[in-house]
Structures are given as C-alpha cells and as structure tokens.
Amino acid sequence: MNILSIISPLIIVALLGFICTKSRWLSKEQLDTISKFTFSISIPAFLFYQMAKADFSDQVSPQLFASFYLPVLTCYFIAYLIGYFFYKSKHSEGDTSTVNSSAASAVFALSASYSNNVIVGLPVLIAALGEKVIGIIFLIVTFHSAMLFTLTSAIAAKGQTKHDKKQLSFLNFLKNTFNNPFVISILLGLIANLSNITLPTFLQDSLALISKPAITLALFILGASLAFYKVRQELTFISIACFSKLFLLPTLVLLTSKYVFELEPLVVTVLVVLSACPTGVNAYLIAVNHQQHQQTVAGTIVLSTIISIVSIPIWMLLIL
C-alpha cells in the first residue's frame, strides 16, 4: 500500500487553492462565494447523505466506542486546557474585552482531536485490509463529527455568553449550539437512519450530486485561505495540535482497545489508524464558523496531513 498515493492528491488540491489566491487569480470575494456554497450546501449535503445511509451492523458494542471516544475526549479536554490558559496568557497584556477564550480553546481542541477519517482513513484502511472493515469505520465516522462538532459549538456558545455577560437561557443555548449547518445535517441524517426512512431515489441522487465536490472544494478553500493567514505566528499551537492528533491520540487508542478492552486485532488496527489520521478538513469549517483559530486549524490540517504520510505507515507497522 502506498500511503503517499492516497494523501498526495489532497495536498495538491490544497496547494492549487493556495496558488490561485496567492497569485491573485482568485479574489477574496470570489473565494467567499465558493466558501458560502461549500459551507452551507455541499458539505451539509455530504454529511447528511453519509449519515442517512450508514450501515449500523451488529458490530456495535460499548467497548468499541469507549476504545475510540474515551481517548478522543481525553485529548480534546487536554488540548482545551492548554489552549485556554495559553490563549489567556497570550492576550493578558492586551484588550481582553474581545477575547473569547472558551470558543478559541474549543476550536483548538477540535483541531487536536478530530480525525480526517473519510478522506484519509477510509481509503487507507480499505487498501490495507479490504472492504470487510467498512462497517467498523462507519460506526466510528457516524458519531465522530456529531459528537465533536456539537461539543465544540456548545462550549463556544457558553463562552460567548459569559464573555458578553448575559445569562444563558436553555433556548438560547440550543440556538447557539444547533445553529450550525454541520450539526443540523448530521443530526437529521442520524434521525433518518435510525427511523429507517428510505429517501426517494431522486433525492438520493440529488444529494450525491451536490455532495460530490464537497471534499475537493473544502481542500481547495483550505489551501486558498492559507494565502490570507500568517501561519508562522501560530507554530506553537500548530505543533501542540499535531503532536496530540498524530501521536498522543493513537497511543491512547492503542492502549484502550488492545490492553483495556482487549478487542480483536482487526478492530484494534482500524481504531488506531482512524485515530492516527491527520486533522479533518471540516475542523477548519468550524473554525471559520466561530471565527476562532482559523490560522491554527488551517496550519494543523496541512502540517498533520504532510506528517501523516510517514506517521500512518509507522503506526500500521507497529500494530499489524
């Protein structure tokens, strides 16, 4: 299996976006228009469609979810604490009236724990182990975005309310948490799946068509946006996030799945590889939505993707 052949096209698409904006062939206004379609229509359609058609097989078990999600949440909250205190310290000498430490730290924590399972993990595992692992992958992927996106939105909403010194009502909490096209599309897809609702053929075909360019556009926008960001200023945050995502998280998943819950080797391999994937592109969409740490998340996605060309094969050699 050649990991480079799977990951390099992702880097090329992002590089193309960077070149198009850096050379001024694509203006900021044009990029904003493409982003609006991608963030509001194409990506939500992709998430809903994938969630609605996911196959929940008899592979479901508490041990499977615990082996993956306990380490994910551990890394998330470690990164949140690091981000929160580092972010407050970084801005302590300036005007803190416009600083939302909770929202920024939640977005940073997402970048340090959210895996690119669909674009990287799925093709890598199918190439290495065959289609027999698809069921396990979708069990993880199905709840992965829903849990982390909702958690990040909830923390960001709470932080914003505290910052504005307004009392957070339950209805206001729901509005801030679920007023997000990604969270809404995931939850609606989950409801459709669990309710055994069969979508009409024309609707399935339409969703498939709309969602088809979602990943490519997201990668292109990611690269294009780097032209407007000074990523070098966020190297500390980016380095911490990459270490958490590519090394700390897979280590914890290996320990929980193999030694704590003693899952079968095939499942251990799938979970470790999924956790070792680089930071997912959709984390950048959340950063844009909350207007927090866009430079950090964009840089983390790019750098972790490049490093994963080496780190994923190393993890597979350790567990296979």
Side-chain angles (χ1 to χ4, degrees):
M1 176 186 56
N2 188 349
I3 302 293
L4 181 61
S5 67
I6 297 172
I7 298 178
S8 57
L10 314 181
I11 299 175
I12 291 173
V13 172
L15 180 61
L16 177 62
F18 178 81
I19 293 173
C20 286
T21 50
K22 196 68 175 178
S23 64
R24 300 181 184 273
W25 184 83
L26 191 67
S27 68
K28 182 66 166 61
E29 292 73 20
Q30 291 171 323
L31 179 62
D32 289 341
T33 301
I34 299 173
S35 300
K36 187 173 183 179
F37 168 77
T38 304
F39 300 165
S40 301
I41 299 176
S42 190
I43 288 289
F46 174 81
L47 294 173
F48 173 81
Y49 183 58
Q50 294 298 325
M51 182 68 74
K53 71 174 186 175
D55 180 22
F56 296 100
S57 63
D58 55 1
Q59 296 168 327
V60 177
S61 71
Q63 293 82 4
L64 174 70
F65 290 112
S67 295
F68 186 82
Y69 286 117
L70 287 179
V72 167
L73 291 174
T74 299
C75 287
Y76 185 97
F77 285 111
I78 289 175
Y80 176 85
L81 292 174
I82 292 174
Y84 184 81
F85 290 109
F86 191 11
Y87 195 78
K88 285 189 70 174
S89 173
K90 187 177 180 181
H91 292 82
S92 60
E93 298 179 358
D95 179 13
T96 59
S97 62
T98 58
V99 176
N100 186 344
S101 299
S102 292
S105 301
V107 171
F108 173 67
L110 180 69
S111 73
S113 56
Y114 179 69
S115 300
N116 198 341
N117 290 333
V118 175
I119 304 177
V120 178
L122 184 62
V124 167
L125 285 167
I126 290 177
L129 303 173
E131 295 187 358
K132 59 186 176 181
V133 300
I134 290 180
I136 304 172
I137 296 171
F138 270 99
L139 283 174
I140 297 300
V141 170
T142 296
F143 298 100
H144 188 225
S145 297
M147 181 187 74
L148 290 180
F149 289 178
T150 303
L151 179 61
T152 300
S153 296
I155 294 175
K158 184 178 180 181
Q160 186 175 13
T161 303
K162 283 185 175 181
H163 167 68
D164 292 337
K165 301 184 183 302
K166 296 178 181 178
Q167 186 174 4
L168 181 65
S169 67
F170 180 69
L171 290 178
N172 192 35
F173 169 78
L174 291 178
K175 179 181 177 181
N176 282 288
T177 300
F178 296 106
N179 188 22
N180 183 310
F182 313 123
V183 173
I184 293 172
S185 58
I186 290 170
L187 293 178
L188 289 178
L190 179 60
I191 292 171
N193 191 306
L194 297 179
S195 302
N196 293 319
I197 297 175
T198 302
L199 301 177
T201 303
F202 77 91
L203 182 57
Q204 293 188 44
D205 293 341
S206 299
L207 287 170
L209 190 62
I210 295 172
S211 63
K212 192 172 184 179
I215 301 302
T216 302
L217 285 174
L219 286 166
F220 181 88
I221 293 168
L222 167 66
S225 300
L226 289 177
F228 303 104
Y229 296 144
K230 298 178 180 179
V231 177
R232 291 182 181 179
Q233 295 182 355
E234 303 292 344
L235 280 179
T236 301
F237 278 117
I238 292 171
S239 299
I240 294 171
C242 286
F243 175 80
S244 173
K245 183 68 212 59
L246 299 178
F247 300 102
L248 178 59
L249 180 56
T251 299
L252 295 177
V253 170
L254 178 61
L255 293 175
T256 56
S257 61
K258 185 174 182 179
Y259 299 104
V260 176
F261 295 106
E262 298 181 342
L263 300 178
E264 59 180 278
L266 178 66
V267 177
V268 172
T269 301
V270 172
L271 296 182
V272 172
V273 172
L274 289 178
S275 66
C277 288
T279 301
V281 176
N282 289 338
Y284 177 72
L285 310 184
I286 299 297
V288 170
N289 185 65
H290 292 292
Q291 292 296 299
Q292 300 287 345
H293 268 313
Q294 295 99 310
Q295 301 99 316
T296 300
V297 177
T300 300
I301 293 170
V302 173
L303 184 59
S304 65
T305 300
I306 294 172
I307 296 175
S308 69
I309 296 174
V310 176
S311 62
I312 289 179
I314 291 175
W315 281 110
M316 296 192 74
L317 287 173
L318 290 175
I319 57 181
L320 285 178

